[in-house]
Amino acid sequence: MIHPLCLWASTSPEAEWDAGEIGCGDLVLELRLRLQAMKPGEILKVTARDPGAPQDIPAWCGLTGHKLVSSQHPDYRIQRKGG
């Protein structure tokens, strides 16, 4: 099994976004728009300082089919789903 820190270092993001402390509703809406603008398989690095982000981001990824590549609050890497 690959150690999470190795995976973190090996996945260079194609885009980055500092979401600051925006909360769940605005956070997931903006995530949706940003990932829609990316190509399938590309990775978005998100910095989200909202206290709910450790629960919100993985749950949103599970609902939408995007892959949460790594999460070390406040930094998250999300891979855009294919097609």
Side-chain angles (χ1 to χ4, degrees):
M1 180 169 182
I2 298 174
H3 188 276
L5 291 178
C6 294
L7 183 60
W8 180 266
S10 69
T11 53
S12 299
E14 281 76 25
E16 296 187 26
W17 174 46
D18 186 346
E21 295 189 20
I22 65 171
C24 178
D26 291 333
L27 177 65
V28 298
L29 285 173
E30 186 65 28
L31 275 175
R32 180 178 163 267
L33 293 173
R34 288 177 181 265
L35 284 166
Q36 275 182 337
M38 298 175 71
K39 295 177 185 170
E42 288 187 333
I43 295 174
L44 172 65
K45 178 186 175 198
V46 179
T47 302
R49 293 176 197 81
D50 179 67
Q55 293 78 37
D56 295 340
I57 292 176
W60 181 81
C61 287
L63 289 171
T64 61
H66 297 294
K67 181 179 179 184
L68 182 60
V69 176
S70 58
S71 78
Q72 293 180 320
H73 186 71
D75 295 315
Y76 303 85
R77 291 179 190 232
I78 302 168
Q79 184 177 38
R80 187 188 188 281
K81 66 182 175 184

Coordinates of all heavy atoms in Angstrom, one line a residue:
M1 N 0.8 -1.2 0.0 CA 0.0 0.0 0.0 C 0.9 1.2 0.0 O 1.9 1.3 0.7 CB -0.9 0.0 1.2 CG -1.8 1.1 1.3 SD -3.1 0.9 2.6 CE -4.0 2.4 2.4
I2 N 0.5 2.2 -0.8 CA 1.2 3.5 -0.9 C 0.9 4.3 0.4 O -0.3 4.5 0.7 CB 0.9 4.3 -2.1 CG1 1.3 3.5 -3.4 CG2 1.5 5.6 -2.2 CD1 0.8 4.1 -4.7
H3 N 1.9 4.8 1.0 CA 1.7 5.7 2.1 C 1.1 7.0 1.7 O 1.4 7.6 0.6 CB 3.1 6.0 2.8 CG 3.0 6.8 4.1 ND1 2.8 8.1 4.1 CD2 3.0 6.3 5.3 CE1 2.7 8.5 5.4 NE2 2.8 7.4 6.1
P4 N 0.1 7.5 2.4 CA -0.7 8.7 2.0 C 0.2 9.9 1.7 O -0.1 10.7 0.8 CB -1.6 9.0 3.2 CG -1.8 7.7 3.9 CD -0.5 7.0 3.7
L5 N 1.3 10.1 2.4 CA 2.2 11.2 2.2 C 2.9 11.1 0.8 O 3.1 12.1 0.1 CB 3.2 11.4 3.3 CG 2.6 11.9 4.6 CD1 3.7 12.0 5.7 CD2 1.9 13.2 4.5
C6 N 3.2 9.9 0.4 CA 3.8 9.6 -0.9 C 2.8 10.0 -2.0 O 3.2 10.6 -3.0 CB 4.3 8.2 -1.0 SG 5.6 7.8 0.1
L7 N 1.6 9.5 -1.8 CA 0.5 9.8 -2.8 C 0.3 11.3 -2.9 O 0.2 11.9 -4.0 CB -0.8 9.1 -2.4 CG -1.9 9.3 -3.3 CD1 -1.5 8.7 -4.7 CD2 -3.1 8.6 -2.8
W8 N 0.3 12.0 -1.7 CA 0.1 13.5 -1.7 C 1.2 14.1 -2.5 O 0.9 15.0 -3.4 CB 0.2 13.9 -0.3 CG 0.0 15.4 -0.1 CD1 1.0 16.3 0.0 CD2 -1.2 16.1 0.1 NE1 0.4 17.6 0.2 CE2 -0.9 17.5 0.2 CE3 -2.5 15.7 0.0 CZ2 -1.9 18.4 0.4 CZ3 -3.5 16.7 0.2 CH2 -3.2 18.0 0.4
A9 N 2.4 13.7 -2.4 CA 3.6 14.4 -3.1 C 3.6 14.0 -4.6 O 4.1 14.8 -5.4 CB 4.9 13.9 -2.4
S10 N 3.0 12.9 -4.9 CA 3.1 12.5 -6.3 C 1.9 13.0 -7.2 O 1.9 12.7 -8.4 CB 3.2 11.0 -6.4 OG 1.9 10.4 -6.0
T11 N 1.0 13.6 -6.6 CA -0.2 14.1 -7.4 C -0.1 15.6 -7.5 O -0.6 16.3 -6.7 CB -1.5 13.7 -6.7 OG1 -1.5 14.1 -5.4 CG2 -1.7 12.2 -6.8
S12 N 0.5 16.1 -8.6 CA 0.6 17.5 -8.8 C -0.7 18.0 -9.3 O -1.3 17.5 -10.3 CB 1.7 17.8 -9.9 OG 2.9 17.4 -9.4
P13 N -1.2 19.1 -8.7 CA -2.5 19.6 -9.1 C -2.4 20.4 -10.4 O -1.4 21.1 -10.6 CB -3.0 20.5 -8.0 CG -1.7 21.0 -7.4 CD -0.7 19.8 -7.5
E14 N -3.4 20.4 -11.3 CA -3.5 21.2 -12.4 C -4.0 22.6 -12.1 O -3.8 23.5 -12.8 CB -4.4 20.6 -13.5 CG -3.7 19.5 -14.3 CD -3.6 18.1 -13.6 OE1 -4.4 17.9 -12.6 OE2 -2.7 17.4 -13.9
A15 N -4.8 22.7 -11.0 CA -5.3 24.0 -10.5 C -5.3 24.0 -9.0 O -5.4 22.9 -8.4 CB -6.7 24.1 -11.1
E16 N -5.3 25.2 -8.5 CA -5.4 25.4 -7.0 C -6.4 26.4 -6.7 O -6.6 27.4 -7.5 CB -4.0 25.8 -6.5 CG -3.0 24.8 -6.6 CD -1.6 25.1 -6.0 OE1 -1.7 25.9 -5.0 OE2 -0.6 24.6 -6.4
W17 N -7.1 26.3 -5.5 CA -8.1 27.2 -5.1 C -8.0 27.3 -3.6 O -8.1 26.3 -2.9 CB -9.5 26.8 -5.5 CG -10.6 27.6 -5.0 CD1 -10.6 29.0 -5.0 CD2 -11.8 27.2 -4.4 NE1 -11.8 29.4 -4.4 CE2 -12.5 28.3 -4.0 CE3 -12.3 25.9 -4.1 CZ2 -13.8 28.2 -3.4 CZ3 -13.6 25.8 -3.5 CH2 -14.3 27.0 -3.2
D18 N -7.9 28.6 -3.1 CA -7.9 28.8 -1.6 C -9.3 29.3 -1.3 O -9.7 30.4 -1.6 CB -6.9 29.9 -1.3 CG -6.8 30.1 0.3 OD1 -7.7 29.6 1.0 OD2 -5.9 30.7 0.7
A19 N -10.1 28.4 -0.7 CA -11.5 28.6 -0.4 C -11.6 29.4 0.9 O -12.8 29.8 1.3 CB -12.3 27.3 -0.3
G20 N -10.6 29.6 1.6 CA -10.6 30.3 2.9 C -11.6 29.6 3.9 O -11.4 28.4 4.0
E21 N -12.5 30.4 4.4 CA -13.4 29.8 5.5 C -14.8 29.7 5.0 O -15.7 29.6 5.8 CB -13.3 30.6 6.7 CG -11.9 30.5 7.3 CD -11.8 31.1 8.7 OE1 -12.8 31.3 9.4 OE2 -10.6 31.4 9.1
I22 N -15.0 29.7 3.7 CA -16.4 29.6 3.2 C -17.0 28.2 3.6 O -16.3 27.2 3.6 CB -16.6 29.9 1.7 CG1 -15.9 28.9 0.8 CG2 -16.1 31.3 1.4 CD1 -16.3 29.0 -0.6
G23 N -18.3 28.2 3.9 CA -18.9 27.0 4.4 C -19.5 26.1 3.4 O -19.4 26.4 2.2
C24 N -20.1 25.1 3.8 CA -20.6 24.0 3.0 C -21.3 24.3 1.7 O -20.9 23.9 0.6 CB -21.5 23.1 3.9 SG -22.2 21.7 3.0
G25 N -22.4 25.1 1.8 CA -23.2 25.4 0.6 C -22.4 26.1 -0.5 O -22.3 25.6 -1.6
D26 N -21.8 27.2 -0.1 CA -21.0 27.9 -1.1 C -19.7 27.1 -1.5 O -19.3 27.2 -2.7 CB -20.5 29.3 -0.5 CG -21.7 30.2 -0.3 OD1 -22.7 30.1 -1.0 OD2 -21.6 31.1 0.6
L27 N -19.1 26.4 -0.6 CA -18.0 25.6 -0.9 C -18.2 24.6 -2.0 O -17.5 24.5 -3.0 CB -17.4 24.9 0.4 CG -16.2 24.0 0.2 CD1 -15.0 24.8 -0.2 CD2 -16.0 23.2 1.5
V28 N -19.3 23.8 -1.8 CA -19.6 22.7 -2.8 C -20.1 23.3 -4.1 O -19.8 22.7 -5.2 CB -20.6 21.7 -2.3 CG1 -19.9 21.0 -1.1 CG2 -21.9 22.2 -1.9
L29 N -20.8 24.4 -4.1 CA -21.2 25.1 -5.4 C -20.0 25.5 -6.2 O -19.9 25.3 -7.4 CB -22.1 26.2 -5.1 CG -23.5 25.9 -4.7 CD1 -24.3 27.1 -4.3 CD2 -24.2 25.1 -5.8
E30 N -19.0 26.1 -5.5 CA -17.8 26.6 -6.1 C -16.9 25.4 -6.6 O -16.4 25.5 -7.7 CB -17.0 27.5 -5.2 CG -15.8 28.2 -5.9 CD -16.2 29.2 -7.0 OE1 -17.3 29.8 -7.0 OE2 -15.4 29.3 -7.9
L31 N -16.9 24.4 -5.8 CA -16.1 23.2 -6.2 C -16.7 22.6 -7.5 O -16.0 22.3 -8.4 CB -16.2 22.1 -5.1 CG -15.2 22.2 -4.0 CD1 -15.5 21.1 -2.9 CD2 -13.8 22.0 -4.5
R32 N -18.0 22.6 -7.6 CA -18.7 22.0 -8.8 C -18.3 22.9 -10.0 O -17.9 22.3 -11.0 CB -20.2 22.1 -8.6 CG -21.0 21.6 -9.7 CD -22.5 21.6 -9.4 NE -23.3 21.6 -10.6 CZ -23.7 22.6 -11.3 NH1 -23.5 23.8 -10.9 NH2 -24.4 22.4 -12.4
L33 N -18.3 24.2 -9.9 CA -18.0 25.0 -11.0 C -16.5 24.9 -11.4 O -16.2 24.8 -12.6 CB -18.3 26.5 -10.7 CG -19.8 26.8 -10.5 CD1 -20.0 28.3 -10.0 CD2 -20.5 26.6 -11.8
R34 N -15.7 24.9 -10.4 CA -14.2 24.8 -10.7 C -13.9 23.4 -11.4 O -13.1 23.4 -12.3 CB -13.4 25.0 -9.5 CG -13.4 26.5 -9.1 CD -12.7 26.7 -7.8 NE -12.8 28.1 -7.4 CZ -11.9 29.1 -7.8 NH1 -10.8 28.7 -8.4 NH2 -12.0 30.3 -7.4
L35 N -14.5 22.3 -10.9 CA -14.2 21.0 -11.5 C -14.8 20.9 -12.9 O -14.2 20.2 -13.7 CB -14.6 19.9 -10.5 CG -13.7 19.7 -9.3 CD1 -14.4 18.9 -8.3 CD2 -12.4 19.1 -9.8
Q36 N -16.0 21.5 -13.1 CA -16.6 21.5 -14.4 C -15.7 22.1 -15.5 O -15.7 21.7 -16.6 CB -17.9 22.2 -14.4 CG -19.1 21.4 -14.0 CD -20.4 22.2 -14.1 OE1 -20.4 23.4 -14.1 NE2 -21.5 21.5 -14.2
A37 N -14.9 23.1 -15.0 CA -14.0 23.8 -16.0 C -12.7 23.0 -16.2 O -11.9 23.4 -17.1 CB -13.6 25.2 -15.4
M38 N -12.5 21.9 -15.5 CA -11.3 21.1 -15.7 C -11.6 19.9 -16.6 O -12.7 19.5 -16.8 CB -10.8 20.7 -14.3 CG -10.4 21.9 -13.5 SD -9.9 21.4 -11.8 CE -8.3 20.6 -12.1
K39 N -10.5 19.3 -17.1 CA -10.6 18.1 -17.9 C -10.7 16.9 -17.0 O -10.2 16.9 -15.8 CB -9.4 17.9 -18.8 CG -9.2 19.0 -19.8 CD -8.0 18.8 -20.6 CE -7.8 20.0 -21.5 NZ -6.4 20.0 -22.1
P40 N -11.4 15.8 -17.4 CA -11.4 14.5 -16.6 C -10.0 14.1 -16.2 O -9.1 14.1 -17.1 CB -12.1 13.6 -17.6 CG -13.0 14.4 -18.5 CD -12.1 15.7 -18.7
G41 N -9.9 13.7 -15.0 CA -8.7 13.2 -14.5 C -7.7 14.2 -13.9 O -6.8 13.9 -13.2
E42 N -8.0 15.5 -14.2 CA -7.2 16.6 -13.6 C -7.5 16.7 -12.1 O -8.6 16.4 -11.6 CB -7.4 17.9 -14.3 CG -6.9 17.9 -15.7 CD -6.9 19.3 -16.4 OE1 -7.8 20.1 -16.1 OE2 -6.1 19.5 -17.3
I43 N -6.5 17.3 -11.4 CA -6.6 17.4 -10.0 C -6.6 18.9 -9.5 O -5.9 19.7 -10.0 CB -5.4 16.7 -9.3 CG1 -5.5 15.2 -9.6 CG2 -5.3 17.0 -7.8 CD1 -4.3 14.4 -9.1
L44 N -7.6 19.1 -8.6 CA -7.7 20.4 -8.1 C -7.3 20.4 -6.6 O -7.7 19.5 -5.8 CB -9.2 20.9 -8.1 CG -9.6 22.1 -7.4 CD1 -8.9 23.4 -8.0 CD2 -11.1 22.3 -7.3
K45 N -6.3 21.3 -6.3 CA -5.9 21.4 -4.9 C -6.7 22.5 -4.2 O -6.8 23.6 -4.7 CB -4.4 21.7 -4.8 CG -4.0 21.9 -3.3 CD -2.6 22.4 -3.2 CE -2.3 22.7 -1.7 NZ -1.1 23.5 -1.6
V46 N -7.4 22.1 -3.2 CA -8.3 23.1 -2.4 C -7.8 23.3 -1.0 O -7.5 22.3 -0.3 CB -9.8 22.5 -2.4 CG1 -10.6 23.5 -1.6 CG2 -10.3 22.2 -3.7
T47 N -7.7 24.5 -0.6 CA -7.4 24.8 0.8 C -8.7 25.4 1.4 O -9.2 26.4 0.9 CB -6.3 25.9 0.9 OG1 -5.1 25.3 0.2 CG2 -6.0 26.2 2.3
A48 N -9.3 24.6 2.3 CA -10.6 24.9 2.9 C -10.4 24.9 4.4 O -10.3 23.8 5.0 CB -11.6 24.0 2.4
R49 N -10.5 26.1 5.0 CA -10.3 26.2 6.5 C -11.6 26.1 7.3 O -11.5 26.1 8.5 CB -9.6 27.5 6.8 CG -8.2 27.5 6.3 CD -7.5 28.9 6.5 NE -6.3 29.0 5.6 CZ -6.4 29.3 4.4 NH1 -7.5 29.6 3.8 NH2 -5.3 29.4 3.7
D50 N -12.7 25.9 6.6 CA -14.0 25.8 7.4 C -13.9 24.5 8.2 O -13.5 23.5 7.8 CB -15.2 25.7 6.4 CG -16.5 25.5 7.1 OD1 -16.9 26.4 7.7 OD2 -17.1 24.4 6.9
P51 N -14.4 24.6 9.5 CA -14.3 23.4 10.4 C -15.1 22.2 9.9 O -14.8 21.1 10.2 CB -14.9 23.9 11.7 CG -15.0 25.4 11.6 CD -14.9 25.8 10.2
G52 N -16.1 22.5 9.0 CA -16.9 21.4 8.5 C -16.3 20.7 7.3 O -16.7 19.6 6.8
A53 N -15.2 21.3 6.7 CA -14.6 20.7 5.5 C -14.2 19.3 5.6 O -14.4 18.5 4.6 CB -13.5 21.6 5.0
P54 N -13.6 18.8 6.7 CA -13.2 17.4 6.8 C -14.3 16.4 6.6 O -14.1 15.3 6.2 CB -12.6 17.3 8.2 CG -12.1 18.7 8.5 CD -13.1 19.6 7.9
Q55 N -15.6 16.9 6.9 CA -16.7 16.0 6.6 C -17.4 16.3 5.3 O -17.8 15.4 4.6 CB -17.8 16.1 7.8 CG -17.3 15.6 9.1 CD -16.4 16.6 9.8 OE1 -16.6 17.8 9.8 NE2 -15.4 16.0 10.5
D56 N -17.5 17.6 5.0 CA -18.2 18.1 3.8 C -17.5 17.6 2.5 O -18.2 17.2 1.6 CB -18.4 19.6 3.8 CG -19.2 20.1 4.9 OD1 -20.0 19.3 5.5 OD2 -19.1 21.3 5.3
I57 N -16.2 17.8 2.4 CA -15.6 17.5 1.1 C -15.6 16.0 0.8 O -16.0 15.7 -0.4 CB -14.2 18.1 1.1 CG1 -14.3 19.7 1.0 CG2 -13.4 17.6 -0.1 CD1 -13.0 20.4 1.1
P58 N -15.2 15.1 1.7 CA -15.3 13.7 1.3 C -16.8 13.3 1.0 O -17.0 12.5 0.1 CB -14.8 13.0 2.6 CG -14.0 14.0 3.3 CD -14.6 15.3 3.0
A59 N -17.8 13.8 1.7 CA -19.2 13.5 1.5 C -19.6 14.0 0.1 O -20.2 13.2 -0.7 CB -20.1 14.1 2.5
W60 N -19.2 15.2 -0.3 CA -19.5 15.7 -1.6 C -18.9 14.9 -2.7 O -19.5 14.6 -3.7 CB -19.1 17.2 -1.7 CG -19.5 17.8 -2.9 CD1 -20.7 18.3 -3.3 CD2 -18.6 18.0 -4.1 NE1 -20.6 18.8 -4.6 CE2 -19.3 18.6 -5.1 CE3 -17.2 17.7 -4.3 CZ2 -18.8 19.0 -6.3 CZ3 -16.7 18.1 -5.5 CH2 -17.5 18.7 -6.5
C61 N -17.6 14.5 -2.5 CA -16.9 13.7 -3.5 C -17.7 12.4 -3.7 O -17.8 11.9 -4.8 CB -15.5 13.5 -3.1 SG -14.4 14.9 -3.3
G62 N -18.1 11.8 -2.6 CA -18.8 10.5 -2.7 C -20.1 10.6 -3.4 O -20.5 9.7 -4.2
L63 N -20.8 11.7 -3.2 CA -22.1 12.0 -3.9 C -21.9 12.3 -5.4 O -22.8 12.0 -6.2 CB -22.8 13.1 -3.2 CG -23.4 12.8 -1.8 CD1 -23.9 14.1 -1.2 CD2 -24.5 11.8 -1.9
T64 N -20.8 12.9 -5.8 CA -20.7 13.4 -7.1 C -19.8 12.5 -8.0 O -19.8 12.7 -9.2 CB -20.1 14.8 -7.1 OG1 -18.8 14.8 -6.5 CG2 -21.0 15.8 -6.4
G65 N -19.1 11.6 -7.4 CA -18.2 10.7 -8.2 C -16.8 11.2 -8.4 O -16.0 10.5 -9.0
H66 N -16.5 12.4 -7.9 CA -15.1 12.9 -8.0 C -14.3 12.1 -7.0 O -14.9 11.7 -5.9 CB -15.1 14.4 -7.8 CG -15.8 15.2 -8.8 ND1 -15.4 15.3 -10.1 CD2 -16.9 16.0 -8.7 CE1 -16.2 16.0 -10.8 NE2 -17.2 16.5 -9.9
K67 N -13.0 12.0 -7.2 CA -12.2 11.2 -6.3 C -11.4 12.1 -5.4 O -10.7 13.0 -5.8 CB -11.2 10.3 -7.1 CG -10.3 9.5 -6.2 CD -9.4 8.6 -7.1 CE -8.5 7.8 -6.2 NZ -7.6 7.0 -7.1
L68 N -11.6 11.9 -4.1 CA -10.8 12.6 -3.1 C -9.4 11.9 -3.0 O -9.3 10.8 -2.5 CB -11.4 12.6 -1.7 CG -10.7 13.4 -0.6 CD1 -10.5 14.8 -1.0 CD2 -11.5 13.2 0.7
V69 N -8.4 12.5 -3.7 CA -7.1 11.8 -3.8 C -6.4 11.9 -2.4 O -5.8 10.9 -2.0 CB -6.2 12.5 -4.8 CG1 -4.8 11.9 -4.9 CG2 -6.9 12.4 -6.2
S70 N -6.5 13.0 -1.7 CA -5.9 13.1 -0.4 C -6.5 14.2 0.4 O -7.1 15.1 -0.2 CB -4.4 13.3 -0.5 OG -4.1 14.5 -1.3
S71 N -6.4 14.1 1.7 CA -7.0 15.1 2.6 C -6.1 15.2 3.8 O -5.9 14.2 4.5 CB -8.4 14.9 2.9 OG -8.6 13.9 3.9
Q72 N -5.6 16.4 4.0 CA -4.9 16.7 5.3 C -5.3 18.1 5.6 O -4.8 19.1 5.1 CB -3.4 16.7 5.1 CG -2.9 15.3 4.8 CD -1.3 15.3 4.6 OE1 -0.8 16.2 4.0 NE2 -0.7 14.3 5.2
H73 N -6.4 18.2 6.3 CA -7.1 19.5 6.6 C -6.0 20.6 6.9 O -5.1 20.3 7.7 CB -8.1 19.4 7.8 CG -8.8 20.6 8.0 ND1 -9.8 21.1 7.1 CD2 -8.8 21.6 9.0 CE1 -10.3 22.2 7.6 NE2 -9.7 22.5 8.7
P74 N -6.0 21.7 6.3 CA -7.0 22.3 5.4 C -6.8 22.0 3.9 O -7.5 22.6 3.1 CB -6.9 23.8 5.7 CG -5.4 24.0 5.9 CD -5.0 22.7 6.6
D75 N -5.9 21.1 3.6 CA -5.6 20.9 2.1 C -6.2 19.6 1.6 O -6.1 18.5 2.3 CB -4.1 20.8 1.9 CG -3.4 22.2 2.2 OD1 -4.0 23.2 1.8 OD2 -2.4 22.2 2.9
Y76 N -6.9 19.7 0.5 CA -7.5 18.6 -0.2 C -7.2 18.5 -1.6 O -7.0 19.6 -2.3 CB -9.1 18.7 0.0 CG -9.5 18.9 1.4 CD1 -9.5 20.1 2.0 CD2 -9.9 17.7 2.1 CE1 -9.9 20.2 3.4 CE2 -10.3 17.9 3.5 CZ -10.2 19.1 4.1 OH -10.6 19.2 5.4
R77 N -7.0 17.3 -2.2 CA -6.8 17.2 -3.6 C -7.9 16.3 -4.2 O -8.2 15.2 -3.7 CB -5.5 16.5 -3.9 CG -4.3 17.5 -3.6 CD -3.0 16.9 -3.8 NE -2.0 17.8 -3.2 CZ -0.9 18.3 -3.9 NH1 -0.7 17.9 -5.1 NH2 -0.1 19.1 -3.3
I78 N -8.6 16.9 -5.2 CA -9.8 16.2 -5.7 C -9.5 16.0 -7.2 O -9.2 16.9 -8.0 CB -11.0 17.1 -5.6 CG1 -11.3 17.4 -4.1 CG2 -12.3 16.4 -6.2 CD1 -12.3 18.4 -3.8
Q79 N -9.7 14.7 -7.7 CA -9.5 14.4 -9.1 C -10.9 14.4 -9.7 O -11.8 13.8 -9.3 CB -8.9 13.0 -9.2 CG -8.6 12.7 -10.7 CD -7.9 11.3 -10.8 OE1 -8.2 10.4 -10.0 NE2 -7.0 11.2 -11.7
R80 N -11.0 15.2 -10.8 CA -12.2 15.3 -11.6 C -12.6 13.9 -12.2 O -11.7 13.3 -12.8 CB -12.1 16.3 -12.7 CG -13.5 16.6 -13.4 CD -13.3 17.5 -14.6 NE -14.5 18.0 -15.1 CZ -15.3 17.3 -16.0 NH1 -14.9 16.0 -16.3 NH2 -16.4 17.8 -16.5
K81 N -13.8 13.6 -12.1 CA -14.3 12.3 -12.6 C -14.2 12.3 -14.1 O -14.2 13.4 -14.8 CB -15.7 12.0 -12.2 CG -16.8 12.9 -12.7 CD -18.1 12.5 -12.1 CE -19.2 13.5 -12.5 NZ -20.5 13.2 -11.9
G82 N -14.1 11.2 -14.7 CA -14.1 11.0 -16.2 C -15.4 11.3 -16.8 O -16.4 11.1 -16.3
G83 N -15.3 11.8 -18.1 CA -16.5 12.1 -18.9 C -17.4 13.0 -18.4 O -18.1 13.7 -18.3

